[in-house]
Amino acid sequence: MANGSTLESSGSLKAFGAALKVFRERALLTQEQLAERINYSHASVASVEQGRRMPTPQFIERVEEALEAFGVLRAMARHVGRERGLAVWFREWAQLEETAVSLCTYECRVVPGLLQTEAYTRAVMLNVPPPPTEEQLAERIAARLARQELLTRRPPVTFSFIVEESVLLRHTGGEEVTRELLGHLLACTELWNVELQIMPQQQPYHAGTDGPMQLLETPERQWLGYSEGQKTGQLISDREAVSVMQMRYAKMRSQALSPADSVELLQRM
């Protein structure tokens, strides 16, 4: 999802974060001490308390136990929806991602949401009118970061990403944001289930000129497609249409730089 403005606003993340803070202070723990106790980073605890990050099931269980929260945090977490902060047209696809076996993504506009840093996400969302409120921005960032848990989900998902070199050369958010993003992309390529290819800026043969696309394989081994434009998104289930998307994606994989050459390019950048 490139960006989203038709969103469902909710304070559920903030409410969970506020409750977490109350229980933490009741236990006379700082954020750093709680982070150490539950084996999470200080940044993760702070982001959840501020309502900026979706708590994972593992995080919820660990803080519930560490803070002796009487089941309150566990109960509240059931009302923290993963659809908060997601564009209406993207929600069905996001739900399918949760159980996918494999995901393929081609992007020519922005770095795919699953590979974005928080700073890059913020820059993208602030660039596209109309400007969001602070609450909307926090919910959108939290929702996007929560989706990134798919990268390390068990059972694992197999990922293939093809990203246009021009997207990285745009330097969205400035030099510092871009430098952090490039480092993050390199770290993602070290995950055994993630394959990242860069489509070079000079490539006279390109099968993806119709625009960005996503493909998804369900546990039942059915393939589905997704295409997104300005304030719209379309789930594609017609077998013939999905087959065409698969052919185009396969062609692009042969036209883009190899994963190894893509890593070298990112390192040079």
Side-chain angles (χ1 to χ4, degrees), residues 87-141:
V88 171
W89 57 84
F90 186 73
R91 291 177 183 170
E92 186 175 6
W93 185 258
Q95 290 173 349
L96 290 168
E97 284 182 333
E98 293 285 339
T99 57
V101 173
S102 57
L103 281 165
C104 301
T105 302
Y106 164 65
E107 258 298 353
C108 56
R109 305 165 301 174
V110 295
V111 171
L114 289 172
L115 300 178
Q116 293 180 9
T117 62
E118 183 172 342
Y120 181 88
T121 297
R122 182 180 298 273
V124 168
M125 292 180 175
L126 290 177
N127 276 335
V128 181
T133 64
E134 284 296 323
E135 182 179 1
Q136 288 174 329
L137 181 62
E139 286 188 345
R140 297 177 193 182
I141 291 175

Side-chain angles (χ1 to χ4, degrees), residues 4-232:
S5 56
T6 306
L7 302 164
E8 180 180 340
S9 178
S10 169
S12 60
L13 277 174
K14 285 189 174 182
F16 181 88
L20 173 61
K21 182 179 179 180
V22 169
F23 279 106
R24 175 179 61 77
E25 292 178 343
R26 170 182 169 272
L28 302 178
L29 295 174
T30 65
Q31 288 182 342
E32 292 87 349
Q33 290 170 332
L34 176 60
E36 183 178 357
R37 185 169 295 190
I38 65 174
N39 198 26
Y40 270 77
S41 68
H42 172 218
S44 294
V45 173
S47 293
V48 173
E49 281 197 5
Q50 293 162 12
R52 295 166 50 227
R53 182 183 290 272
M54 192 79 68
T56 66
Q58 185 180 53
F59 181 96
I60 293 163
E61 289 303 317
R62 289 186 182 181
V63 293
E64 177 71 42
E65 181 179 348
L67 300 178
E68 299 180 358
F70 311 110
V72 173
L73 295 176
R74 191 180 294 116
M76 289 188 68
R78 289 196 289 269
H79 301 283
V80 179
R82 287 186 174 274
E83 293 184 350
R84 307 299 188 188
L86 293 178
V88 171
W89 57 84
F90 186 73
R91 291 177 183 170
E92 186 175 6
W93 185 258
Q95 290 173 349
L96 290 168
E97 284 182 333
E98 293 285 339
T99 57
V101 173
S102 57
L103 281 165
C104 301
T105 302
Y106 164 65
E107 258 298 353
C108 56
R109 305 165 301 174
V110 295
V111 171
L114 289 172
L115 300 178
Q116 293 180 9
T117 62
E118 183 172 342
Y120 181 88
T121 297
R122 182 180 298 273
V124 168
M125 292 180 175
L126 290 177
N127 276 335
V128 181
T133 64
E134 284 296 323
E135 182 179 1
Q136 288 174 329
L137 181 62
E139 286 188 345
R140 297 177 193 182
I141 291 175
R144 190 157 300 183
L145 293 178
R147 286 182 57 232
Q148 294 179 2
E149 295 169 10
L150 289 172
L151 295 174
T152 54
R153 193 198 75 187
R154 294 293 180 269
V157 186
T158 301
F159 292 94
S160 168
F161 297 97
I162 302 175
V163 181
E164 291 288 338
E165 181 182 2
S166 58
V167 169
L168 303 175
L169 294 175
R170 188 174 299 134
H171 287 202
T172 299
E175 297 299 319
E176 185 176 345
V177 171
T178 301
R179 190 159 39 245
E180 180 191 22
L181 174 68
L182 294 174
H184 178 68
L185 292 176
L186 284 168
C188 288
T189 64
E190 295 178 2
L191 298 172
W192 71 271
N193 59 320
V194 174
E195 183 178 87
L196 172 61
Q197 294 179 257
I198 305 299
M199 183 69 76
Q201 197 165 21
Q202 294 186 359
Q203 171 52 280
Y205 307 104
H206 198 318
T209 52
D210 271 6
M213 70 168 78
Q214 296 189 58
L215 289 161
L216 176 151
E217 184 182 10
T218 71
E220 294 75 32
R221 306 302 172 180
Q222 177 188 6
W223 281 91
L224 300 170
Y226 179 76
S227 178
E228 189 174 81
Q230 295 279 342
K231 297 179 70 64
T232 60

